[in-house]
Amino acid sequence: MNKKLKIGEFSKLCRVTVKTLRHYEEMGLLVPHETDEWTGYRYYSIEQFQQMGVILHLKQLGLSLAEIADVLQRGDNRPDLETVQQKMAACRAEINRLQLRLQELQSLEEHFTNEHQMERITIKTISSRIVASYRKVMKSYDELGETCVKVIGPEMMRVGCTCPEPQYCYTVEHDAEHKDTDIDVEYCEAVGEWHEDTPVLRFYQAPAIEKALCFLHYGPYSTFSESMLQAVRYLEEHGLKMAGSPRFSYIDGVWNKSDESEWLTEIQIPLAD
């Protein structure tokens, strides 16, 4: 087949730029099969695909264009043994450099991860507060937002509750074991005064937590378990022991953030002395 291909056509078929083909021509690596003396148009032959394949293969092996030119001048399609051994040595050296770089990057990643985790963890005292309490077995935490809006909030307004600063609301799970559904949840919201219990709300003095590990959880409530695992891992690593059920204190949620990823909850784990 003697079909002639313009440089642009040859470029597309070889997946090599025209600029690269011109450079190869200047170096004598791949000279057009024919050049029109009047127009200067360069034409390549189908047979030259094989030579282009050799050039690209040698480049993949790490040979420079000058080294490739030497191989082609010898009329061979592969480098000699000495060149192969040199490229193998260069590969090993590059692998060692990359391994060292990877180790440094892993060390940095671990540093940033630990630093970020430390920003999410504090140990502090949780003050005693008077709370309005509502307790219910919920299918999931998805019920909580609607329950606050349609049940707890209106009842607190009817009773005349005030919520002094700093505002504080939290839930406690009363199940003896973790449950994904039918969760016994108690919702507590700090109020400024005592009120008589109602069929919906119970009022009492929530005890202080003298020492609590507080872990900031970002995202929906369905992923609490992921943050709890991180918090428990921190307890184990630092020789700390839980001394009661965690509280999940709600800072940002559906009431002020439409994006679940922006919801912020502080997990408060009581610690033994």
Side-chain angles (χ1 to χ4, degrees), residues 125-129 168 206-209 247:
T125 298
I126 309 297
S127 301
S128 174
R129 303 284 294 274
Y168 180 46
I209 303 177
R247 294 180 183 178

Side-chain angles (χ1 to χ4, degrees), residues 86-105:
Q86 289 175 353
K87 297 306 174 185
M88 290 174 62
C91 284
R92 293 190 185 97
E94 181 64 17
I95 289 171
N96 289 335
R97 285 194 293 270
L98 289 174
Q99 287 178 333
L100 289 173
R101 184 187 300 177
L102 178 61
Q103 290 173 4
E104 290 187 20
L105 290 170

